[in-house]
C-alpha cells in the first residue's frame, strides 16, 4: 500500500470505530500476515513468518461499524480483508495488497434460536467450538464438525464453503444456510433470506471468500441433539469395493452421518490413531501407540525427502505390508434412536452384501474419539523438516475412481500421497488426499509443493472433478478457477464489478483481480 | 533459559491453532496476536533471534493468565503458560519486560513486611506460631484483601476439630507466584529459598491458595529449592472431613467455578464438588467446567498487565450464572473469589438483576456449620 | 423487420423451424392478449440459440425464452404487473425440439437432458430404468425443464428434496454475449460462489438454460402409508412437522381439513374409504428400504399419537396416494378459485388460520389442506366455494392476509440484480423486463 494511502488511514478509521479497536502495531501486523496455508508454513520453517502484513487491523463490534469501515476503505481505495480465525489453508486471508484486516471475532453473539423452525442465528465471528457448545447446552446441534472446529469461525465456514465430518447427514455449510447479513463492497448492508425471486443470494455470498462483501450474521439450520450415535468399522479389500458399498448404501436412501473410507496407507495411519499424551481433558484421554506411527512417519519422510535416503528400503518394505492390509470404512449414524437403529440394520446388510467385513463398533468409536486428532500431526511433520498438505476434490461416482487414480499418480510423482473418501452423497463423493514431501532448501520445497498442486489439480479437473470440495480457493487455487468454471467465470467477474465496484474486497483471491 | 521449550515452541509455530478456542484471554480480546499459538510463535522468533527483544513484541508474552486451558486441547507435550512465563523471564533479563511490572521484584520484597503487619493486626495473635506440627498458610491474596476469610477459615477449622492448625508466622506470607508469573526468576529463586527456610519450622503446611500449592510443589523444585515440609491444599484438607461436617443448615443452590490451579494444575476436580455436595441440595455446573473451565482472569499477573481484559474474563465467566438466575457462586481459590466477586458487583451495578454472591469453599462450610 | 429477422434466423435453424404466423405466435400468449414477440424459432441446440442471439443482437431485437401454453402467474412466485412489451422486435425461443436425454448416469444417479423436455417425458425415460425425479407435485412435470428451472418455485417441492430446483446439479446456458456456458457438475464444490444459482431462477434474464443435470433416485422398493385423525388442522400439522424435526425423511405428507378430506378422500363411493368425521386428517407416505420405511412409519405413529392423533388405518392414505399419482389433487391448475400459498414451516399454521378467517370474513366457504411439506416449508392449498362474489372477495382477502404473513416476493439485492443484468447484458436483449421486482 502506498504511503500516501496509508497516511491518515487510522484517523479515518477512528471515525468508524473506537481507536482502541484499531491497531497498526508491529506485533498485530505480524500476527495477521498469514493464515495456515501450508506453503506459508514452509516459509515459517525458514523464518519467514510475516509474508504479507496488513497495514491496519480493526476489530468492529457491530454491522454498522463494519459498513463504516468498508466505506472508509472505498473512499480511500484501500483493500479490506475479512478475517475469522485465520485457520484457512489456501491463503484466502493473506492481505497480499496490504490494507485493512477486518477481524470479526468481536462479533460473536448468539442472536436467536428457533426450536420450531430448527434454525439459529449467530454473528459470524463466533468460533466453531463455541457455537456448537452453545447449541449443545440447549439440546441442539448444528451438525457441522470440520476438523478445524476448534480454530475456525462461522464466517470462515460460510466464506469458504466448509464441510463437516457429518456432512452426509447434515450437509455442507451451503446446505445449512438460511439467511445472511452482508456488508457489500460498497458498504451497503443487505439481508438475504428465503426469497424466491432473483438469484439465490445466499449461494452467491457463500463461498465468496470476502471478495464480494463481509458476511456479518447468518441464520443456519440446526437439528435436535442426537439421541444416539451408532458407530461401526468395516474392512474392505480395496478402495473400489468400499466405494461401491458406500454408493449403494446412499442410493438406497440411507443417510449415515459419518462416512469415511481410508485407502490402504491412510488406513494404516488411522488405525494407529493418536500420538502423544493428551493431558487434562477428562474422559477423552486415550493416547495411541506412537511407535508404529513414528515408524511410518519416518518412512514417509524418507520416501518424500530424498536426502533421508537410508531409511528408504525399510520404508518400501513397510508400505508393501501396509498395502496388503485392506481399507477401513468408518460409518456412523446419529439422530433419532428408532430411525438410526433401523438405518444401521439396513445399512449393515448392504455392506455385508458388498463384501465388507464387520469390525464391530470399536474402530468407529475410536475414530469418533480421535476425530480431530489428524490436524495435530502437522506440527510433527514440519518439525521434521517436511511439508504436508491436503487436497480435497469431488466428483460424481461415475468418475470417482478415475479421479482417485489420476490424482494419486500425478501427486505421487512429487511426494508421498494417501487418501480417504469422506463427504459422500448419493451422486458422488469427495476425496481427501494427504501428501507429504519436502526438501532442506526452501526454494526446492516450494517447487515440489507447487508441482503437487499443479499436477494434482490438473488431474482432478481432467477427470471431471472439482478444484475444491470444502477448503476453498484463496491464493492457492486461484489459478485454477478459470479451468474449473470455464466461461462461467464471466459471471463471477460481473458479480465482482457489481458488488465491489471499487475493487477493495480481498483483492487477488478467487482468481479475481 | 528457553532451551527446554525448543520443541514446544516449534510445534506451536506449525500448529493450526487448535487450542485457540480455549484461551480466555484471546477470547476476551478477540485478538489473533495473543492466541496461544501466536504467543508461542512470537516467543519462538524471539528465541531464534528473528525478532528483537523489544516491548513491541514481548508484550504478547504477558497476555496470558497461565491458566492452562489451552493445554486441555493440546495433544503434544506443550505447556504454553509456563513456557510463556519462561519467556517473560527472558524478556526481563533482556530489559524488555512489561512496563507495568517494572521493579516488580523490589515492590514484591517491600510488600512482604507489610503483609506480616496486616496479618498481625487483623488475625488472632494467639493463633500464630513460629513452630508447629501443622500450620495454615492463607496466601497473600487473602491476607491483603480478605482477612475476614482467614478468620472464617480458623472458625471452620475449629468447628471441624482441626484447631491444632496454627497460623504461619513469618515474613514469607507469599509463596512467590507473582514473581514467577512476572518473570523475575532470580528474585523468585531467592524468595523460594527464604520460604523453604521458614517452612522448615512446620511439618505440614495447609495452603489456602492452590496457586501457592502449585508453586511450592512444582516450581520450587524447578529452581532447585527442596521443601521438607508437606504441602497440603486447603480443599484437599477439607475433603478429609466429608461425613464428619456438623451441618446445621443446607446452603442454597449454587454454581461451582473450578479454579485453574486447583483443577488443571493440581488435578483436583472432584474434591471441591464432593465437599459442596455435602452442603447444598443443588450444585450447578458451568457448561465449560473441569478441564475446560474458563479462567477468572486472576492468573499470570494479568490484572496488572491487562486489567480490562482480566475484568472482562471474570464478567464473561459469570454470564451463565446470570442466565440461570442463581445467586450463589462457590469457588476454592482466594484469587478467583476476589476477581469474580468484584465482577459480580460491577455487573450488578451496571445491569441490575440478581446480585451474585461469590463464596469460597470455607464460606460455604461456615454457613452450613453455623 | 420481422421478415428480415425471419430470414436471418432461418439460416440458423432452417426455415421450417421459424414462424411469424399469428397462429403460431398466439400459442405463447394468454387468450385475448397480443403475442409477446414477432418471430418464433424452434432451435435444436444451444449453439443454434447462440447464433439466433447474434442475429437478434445485430438487428436490434430482443430474445425471449418461451414455452407453449398460457403464461399463467403462479401465486407467490411472481409479481404484479409484468413488464410492458418492448418497442423493438422480439424473437421468441421455444426449445420444444430440444427434448433429448443426453446422458443417464445410473452409477451416479444423475440425468442430463435438454431444457425442452418436460418433466413427464423425462419421468417416462427414468421410469423405464426404475428411476424417478422424486415425489414432486404432478404440475411440476407438466413444464419443460428450462421453464421449471428459470424460476424458483417453492410450491413445487417434494418432502425429501425441497423445491425442485434443489435437484439441479448443473446447467448449460447461453449468455447475452453469445457464450455457451456449462457449470461443472459435482456433488458439491468450494470453488467460489455457486454461479449455477445465478442461472437458476434468473427468468432468462441472465442466460437461457439449454440443458440441465438433475439428481434422480431409485423408485423406492417399499412404501408404507398411514393416516391419523386430529381434532384440529394445527394439531395434525404439528404432528407431521414433528416427524420432520426428528429427522424422519418422509416421502410425502399432507394435512386435510375435514371438508377437504371428505371431498378428496370420501368421494370414492364403493372404492373410497370411510373418512372419519374429525377436524383434520394427516396422511403420510414412508418410502425406501422396507425396514427403514417401517421404522419411519413407527416414528410417525409415535409422533402422531403424542400430538393427540388417532390411527384411522391406511385406507384413506391409500386413496390419497392413488389420487396423487393419477392426477395432482387439490386445487386444479387452472381453477381461479384455487390458491397455492407456499410458506416456511413456522408460518404454515398462522397462514392456515389467516386463510380461514379471511374466507369467513368474506362469507365464503373454503376447503384447505397443507401439502408439499419438507424441512424448509410447505404449501397451504385453498379451494374456495360459495357464490361468485364472495369467492372473489375471499380470494383477495386471503392474498392480502398471506402477504402479511409470508411477505411479498422480493429480491433483497434488487439493485445488484439489475446491475448484474446491465453488466452481462448491456443491450437488454435477454428477456427484457425480467428480474424487475420489488425491493424487500
Amino acid at each position: 500500500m502506498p504511503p500516501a494511502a496509508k497516511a491518515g488511514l487510522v484517523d479515518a478509521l477512528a471515525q468508524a470505530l473506537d481507536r482502541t479497536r484499531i491497531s497498526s502495531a508491529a506485533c498485530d501486523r505480524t500476527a495477521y500476515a498469514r493464515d495456515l496455508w501450508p506453503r506459508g508454513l514452509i516459509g515459517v520453517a525458514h523464518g519467514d513468518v510475516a509474508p504479507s502484513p496488513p497495514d491496519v487491523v480493526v476489530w468492529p463490534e457491530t454491522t454498522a461499524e463494519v459498513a463504516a469501515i468498508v466505506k472508509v476503505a472505498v473512499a480511500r481505495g484501500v483493500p479490506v480483508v475479512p478475517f475469522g480465525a485465520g485457520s484457512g489453508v489456501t491463503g484466502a486471508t493473506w492481505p497480499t495488497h496490504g490494507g485493512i484486516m477486518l477481524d470479526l471475532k468481536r462479533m460473536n453473539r448468539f442472536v436467536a434460536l428457533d426450536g420450531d423452525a430448527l434454525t439459529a442465528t449467530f454473528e459470524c465471528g463466533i468460533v466453531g467450538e463455541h457455537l456448537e457448545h452453545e447449541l449443545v447446552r440447549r439440546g441442539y446441534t448444528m451438525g457441522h464438525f470440520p476438523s478445524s472446529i476448534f480454530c475456525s469461525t462461522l464466517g470462515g465456514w460460510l466464506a469458504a464453503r466448509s464441510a463437516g465430518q457429518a456432512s452426509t447427514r447434515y450437509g455442507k455449510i451451503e446446505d445449512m444456510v438460511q439467511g445472511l447479513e452482508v456488508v457489500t463492497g460498497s458498504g451497503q448492508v443487505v439481508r438475504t433470506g428465503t426469497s424466491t425471486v432473483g438469484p439465490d443470494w445466499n449461494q452467491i455470498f457463500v463461498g465468496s471468500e470476502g471478495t464480494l462483501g463481509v458476511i456479518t450474521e447468518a441464520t443456519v439450520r440446526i437439528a435436535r441433539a442426537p439421541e444416539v450415535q451408532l458407530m461401526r468399522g468395516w474392512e474392505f479389500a480395496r478402495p473400489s469395493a468400499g466405494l461401491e458399498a458406500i454408493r449403494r448404501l446412499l442410493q438406497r436412501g440411507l443417510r449415515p452421518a459419518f462416512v469415511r473410507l481410508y485407502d490402504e496407507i491412510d488406513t494404516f495411519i488411522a488405525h494407529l490413531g493418536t500420538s502423544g499424551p493428551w493431558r487434562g481433558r477428562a474422559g477423552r484421554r486415550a493416547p495411541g501407540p506412537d511407535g508404529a506411527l513414528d515408524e511410518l512417519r519416518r518412512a514417509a519422510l524418507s520416501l518424500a525427502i530424498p536426502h533421508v535416503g537410508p531409511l528408504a528400503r525399510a520404508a518400501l518394505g513397510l508400505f508393501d505390508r501396509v498395502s496388503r492390509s485392506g481399507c477401513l470404512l468408518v460409518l456412523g449414524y446419529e439422530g433419532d434412536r428408532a430411525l438410526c437403529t433401523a438405518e444401521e440394520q439396513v445399512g449393515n446388510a448392504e455392506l455385508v452384501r458388498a463384501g465388507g467385513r464387520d469390525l464391530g463398533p470399536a474402530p468407529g468409536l475410536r475414530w469418533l474419539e480421535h476425530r480431530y486428532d489428524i490436524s495435530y500431526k502437522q506440527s510433527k511433520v514440519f518439525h521434521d523438516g517436511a511439508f504436508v498438505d491436503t487436497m480435497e476434490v469431488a466428483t460424481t461416482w461415475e468418475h470417482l475412481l478415475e479421479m482417485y487414480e489420476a490424482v494419486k499418480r500425478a501427486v505421487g510423482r512429487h511426494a508421498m500421497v494417501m487418501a480417504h473418501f469422506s463427504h459422500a452423497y448419493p451422486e458422488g463423493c469427495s476425496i481427501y488426499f494427504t501428501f507429504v514431501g519436502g526438501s532442506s532448501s526452501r526454494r526446492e520445497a516450494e517447487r515440489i509443493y507447487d508441482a503437487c498442486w499443479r499436477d494434482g489439480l490438473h488431474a482432478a479437473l481432467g477427470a471431471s472433478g472439482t478444484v475444491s470440495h470444502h477448503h476453498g480457493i484463496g491464493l492457492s487455487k486461484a489459478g485454477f478457477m478459470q479451468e474449473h468454471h470455464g466461461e462461467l467465470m464471466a459471471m463471477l467477474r460481473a458479480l465482482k464489478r457489481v458488488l465491489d465496484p471499487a475493487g477493495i474486497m480481498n483483492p487477488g483471491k478467487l482468481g479475481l483481480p | 533459559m528457553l532451551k527446554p521449550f525448543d520443541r514446544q515452541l516449534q510445534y506451536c509455530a506449525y500448529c493450526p491453532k487448535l487450542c485457540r478456542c480455549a484461551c480466555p484471554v484471546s477470547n476476551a480480546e478477540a485478538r489473533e496476536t495473543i492466541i496461544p499459538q501466536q504467543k508461542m510463535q512470537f516467543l519462538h522468533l524471539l528465541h531464534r533471534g528473528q525478532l528483537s527483544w523489544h516491548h513491541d513484541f514481548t508484550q504478547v508474552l504477558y497476555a496470558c493468565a497461565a491458566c492452562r486451558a489451552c493445554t486441555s486441547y493440546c495433544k503434544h507435550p506443550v505447556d504454553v503458560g509456563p513456557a510463556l512465563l519462561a519467556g517473560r523471564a527472558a524478556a526481563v533479563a533482556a530489559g524488555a519486560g512489561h512496563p507495568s511490572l517494572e521493579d516488580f521484584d523490589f515492590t514484591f520484597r517491600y510488600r512482604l513486611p507489610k503483609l506480616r503487619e496486616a496479618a498481625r493486626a487483623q488475625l488472632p495473635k494467639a493463633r500464630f506460631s513460629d513452630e508447629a506440627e501443622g500450620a495454615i498458610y492463607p496466601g497473600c491474596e487473602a491476607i491483603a484483601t480478605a482477612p475476614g476469610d482467614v478468620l472464617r477459615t480458623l472458625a471452620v477449622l475449629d468447628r471441624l476439630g482441626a484447631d491444632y492448625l496454627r497460623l504461619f508466622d513469618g515474613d514469607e506470607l507469599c509463596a512467590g507466584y507473582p514473581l514467577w508469573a512476572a518473570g523475575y526468576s532470580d528474585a523468585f529463586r531467592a524468595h523460594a529459598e527464604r520460604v523453604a527456610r521458614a517452612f522448615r519450622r512446620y511439618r505440614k503446611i495447609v495452603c489456602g491458595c492452590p496457586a501457592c500449592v502449585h508453586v511450592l510443589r512444582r516450581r520450587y523444585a524447578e529452581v532447585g529449592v527442596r521443601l521438607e515440609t508437606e504441602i497440603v491444599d486447603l480443599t484437599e484438607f477439607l475433603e478429609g472431613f466429608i461425613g464428619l461436617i456438623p451441618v446445621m443448615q443446607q446452603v442454597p443452590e449454587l454454581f461451582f467455578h473450578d479454579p485453574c490451579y486447583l483443577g488443571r494444575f493440581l488435578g483436583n476436580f472432584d474434591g471441591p464438588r464432593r465437599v459442596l455436595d455435602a452442603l447444598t441440595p443443588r450444585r450447578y455446573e458451568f457448561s465449560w467446567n473441569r478441564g475446560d473451565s474458563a479462567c477468572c482472569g486472576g492468573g499470570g499477573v494479568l490484572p496488572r498487565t491487562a486489567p480490562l481484559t482480566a475484568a472482562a474474563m471474570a464478567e464473561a465467566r459469570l454470564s451463565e450464572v446470570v442466565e440461570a438466575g442463581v445467586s450463589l457462586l462457590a469457588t476454592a481459590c482466594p484469587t478467583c473469589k476476589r476477581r469474580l466477586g468484584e465482577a459480580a458487583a460491577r455487573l450488578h451495578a451496571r445491569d441490575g438483576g440478581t446480585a451474585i454472591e461469590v463464596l469460597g469453599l470455607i464460606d460455604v462450610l461456615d454457613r452450613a456449620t453455623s | 423487420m420481422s421478415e428480415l429477422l425471419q430470414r436471418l434466423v432461418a439460416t440458423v435453424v432452417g426455415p421450417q423451424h421459424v414462424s411469424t404466423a399469428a397462429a403460431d405466435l398466439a400459442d405463447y400468449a394468454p387468450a385475448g392478449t397480443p403475442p409477446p414477440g414477432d418471430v418464433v424459432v424452434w432451435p435444436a441446440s444451444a449453439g443454434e440459440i447462440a447464433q439466433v442471439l447474434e442475429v437478434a443482437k445485430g438487428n436490434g431485437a430482443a430474445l425471449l425464452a418461451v414455452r407453449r401454453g398460457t403464461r399463467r402467474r403462479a401465486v407467490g412466485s411472481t409479481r404484479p404487473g409484468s413488464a410492458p412489451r418492448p418497442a423493438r422486435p422480439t424473437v421468441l425461443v421455444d426449445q420444444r425440439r430440444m427434448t433429448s436425454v443426453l446422458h443417464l448416469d445410473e452409477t451416479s444417479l444423475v440425468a442430463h437432458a435438454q431444457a425442452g423436455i418436460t418433466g413427464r417425458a423425462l419421468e417416462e425415460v427414468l421410469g423405464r430404468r426404475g428411476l424417478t425425479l422424486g415425489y414432486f407435485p404432478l404440475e411440476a412435470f407438466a413444464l419443460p425443464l428450462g421453464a421449471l428451472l428459470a424460476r424458483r418455485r417453492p410450491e413445487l417441492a417434494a418432502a425429501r428434496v425441497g423445491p425442485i430446483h434443489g435437484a439441479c446439479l448443473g446447467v448449460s446456458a447461453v449468455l447475452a454475449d453469445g457464450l455457451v456456458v456449462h457449470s461443472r457438475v459435482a456433488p458439491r464444490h468450494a470453488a467460489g460462489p455457486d454461479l449455477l444459482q445465478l442461472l437458476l431462477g434468473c427468468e432468462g434474464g441472465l442466460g437461457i438454460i439449454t440443458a440441465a443435470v438433475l439428481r434422480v433416485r431409485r423408485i423406492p422398493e417399499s412404501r408404507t402409508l398411514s393416516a391419523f385423525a386430529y381434532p384440529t388442522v394445527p394439531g395434525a400439522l404439528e404432528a407431521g412437522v414433528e416427524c420432520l424435526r426428528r429427522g424422519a425423511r418422509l416421502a410425502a405428507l399432507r394435512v386435510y381439513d375435514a371438508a377437504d378430506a371428505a371431498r378428496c378422500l370420501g368421494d370414492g363411493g364403493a372404492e373410497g374409504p370411510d373418512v372419519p368425521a374429525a377436524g383434520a386428517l394427516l396422511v403420510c407416505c414412508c418410502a425406501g428400504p422396507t425396514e427403514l420405511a417401517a421404522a419411519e412409519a413407527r416414528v410417525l405413529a409415535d409422533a402422531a399419537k403424542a400430538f393427540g392423533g388417532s390411527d384411522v388405518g391406511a385406507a384413506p392414505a391409500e386413496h390419497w396416494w392413488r389420487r396423487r399419482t393419477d392426477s395432482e389433487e387439490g386445487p386444479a391448475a387452472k381453477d381461479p378459485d384455487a390458491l397455492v400459498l407456499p410458506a416456511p414451516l413456522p408460518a404454515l399454521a398462522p397462514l392456515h388460520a389467516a386463510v380461514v378467517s379471511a374466507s369467513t370474513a368474506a362469507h365464503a366457504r373454503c376447503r384447505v389442506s397443507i401439502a408439499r411439506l419438507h424441512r424448509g416449508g410447505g404449501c397451504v392449498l385453498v379451494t374456495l366455494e360459495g357464490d361468485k362474489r364472495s369467492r372473489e372477495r375471499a380470494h383477495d382477502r386471503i392474498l392480502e392476509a398471506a402477504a402479511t404473513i409470508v411477505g411479498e416476493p422480493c429480491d433483497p439485492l434488487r439493485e445488484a440484480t439489475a446491475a448484474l443484468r446491465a453488466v452481462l447484458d448491456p443491450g437488454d436483449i435477454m428477456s427484457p423486463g425480467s428480474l424487475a421486482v420489488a425491493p424487500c
Side-chain angles (χ1 to χ4, degrees), chain A residues 340-351:
Chain A
C340 285
T341 309
E343 279 202 84
E344 194 189 33
Q345 205 180 351
V346 175
N348 288 354
E350 191 67 58
L351 293 174

Side-chain angles (χ1 to χ4, degrees), chain A residues 116 161 172 175 191 195 197-199 201 203-204 207 221 224 247 251-253 336 398 427 465 468 484-485, chain C residues 105 107-108 152 184 186 188-194 215 218 221 242 245-246 249 289 375 410-412:
Chain A
D116 289 335
R161 292 191 165 258
K172 281 182 70 193
D175 303 306
R191 277 182 174 276
S195 170
V197 284
W201 288 106
Q203 297 302 327
I204 300 305
R221 196 168 61 212
R224 290 187 183 157
R247 184 180 73 86
Q251 292 185 349
R252 279 192 81 193
D336 180 272
E398 190 180 29
E427 65 273 10
S468 172
H484 176 104
H485 288 291
Chain C
D105 172 1
T107 308
S108 316
R152 285 185 284 138
R184 186 167 282 266
R188 298 288 191 285
H189 73 83
D194 192 5
R215 292 188 184 92
R218 297 196 196 286
E221 58 205 50
E242 170 64 12
R245 286 193 207 115
R246 280 179 71 174
R249 293 178 317 110
R375 275 195 306 195
C410 62
D411 180 352

Side-chain angles (χ1 to χ4, degrees), chain A residues 28 129 133 281 373 376, chain B residues 32-33 41 73 75 287 292:
Chain A
D28 290 322
E129 174 84 338
H133 183 93
R281 218 158 152 70
D373 287 11
Y376 291 86
Chain B
E32 203 64 16
T33 319
Q41 176 172 299
Y73 278 82
K75 303 212 162 187
S287 66
D292 290 330

